[in-house]
Amino acid sequence: MRYRRVTRWQTLPLLTGVTLAALVAQSPALAAGSTRDDHQSTQVQAPYTAYDDTYYEDAIGKTGEPLKAALHQIISGNTEKLSYSQVWDALKATDEDPANPSNVILLYTGRSQSKDSNGGDADQWNREHVWAKSHGDFGTATGPGTDIHHLRPADVSVNSTRGSKDFDLGGSEVEEAPGNLTDEDSFEPRDEVKGDVARMIFYMAVRYEGEDGFADLEVNDKVGNGSNPFLGRLSVLRKWNAEDTPSDFEKRRNQVIFDKYQHNRNPFIDHPEWVDEIWK
């Protein structure tokens, strides 16, 4: 399928607010007749986005390490950093329930819950670091510890169950969050957010490359990474990215972060096919 290339003057009237998210073409998950096991041989078609002539201009046409390096420069420049306390209010906007603006959607349970029920008590929601903050020992420091591209509202006890585990397949179902599985060294989120999780992890591995006093975060194909600046399992995360393509909620979230908060984007939401261009 060919995507019509749109000139800048044609897109300018649309570059307002979250309505721009509708311009991002949805990539097909798997080709017809293919199976989950052969996803890595499936070519994800490249969408055209309204940002390809501007924001992503220096990345278009690149692959492998040159693409990763270009994206790092793009998403690291001219960004605004939040404090950890500011994250509370930011998440109330980025993860707002489209059906109920008084609520947020919790990542692992999918539950819609009052924005004001945040805190540390049972059945409240708190700030989940999808890239576990102990993997690189950055804690809640301004930078990777407060980057809302990987911070999401989560049920307090479910967040605790996930802990600092790597992501992988299998385990026992989490009682408070049906559809999520866990074992002693890994966590598997529900199907509806598997791709979201993967793209957040890949964003972090590109955004933080050992500068500004923080560790160089990298994705590997292991679990049990401990406090090392690695998070896995790469092969599973690639699979989740291919199978669970960006949703309208995920695209809207990316746009809100770009417009109102950090002023950078998660490139793997706009271009999920870039995952397999970098990690092969």
Side-chain angles (χ1 to χ4, degrees), residues 30 33-42 169 188 191 194 239-240 242-244:
L30 292 175
S34 66
T35 65
R36 293 190 172 197
D37 290 337
D38 60 13
H39 78 282
Q40 291 185 0
S41 64
T42 301
L169 298 170
E188 178 181 351
D191 290 346
K194 280 183 165 70
K239 181 179 180 181
W240 291 349
E243 293 176 352
D244 175 35

Side-chain angles (χ1 to χ4, degrees), residues 168-173 180-184 186-188 236 240:
D168 200 0
L169 298 170
S172 302
E173 189 165 65
N180 298 265
L181 305 174
T182 192
D183 56 27
E184 62 182 14
S186 70
F187 190 88
E188 178 181 351
V236 171
W240 291 349

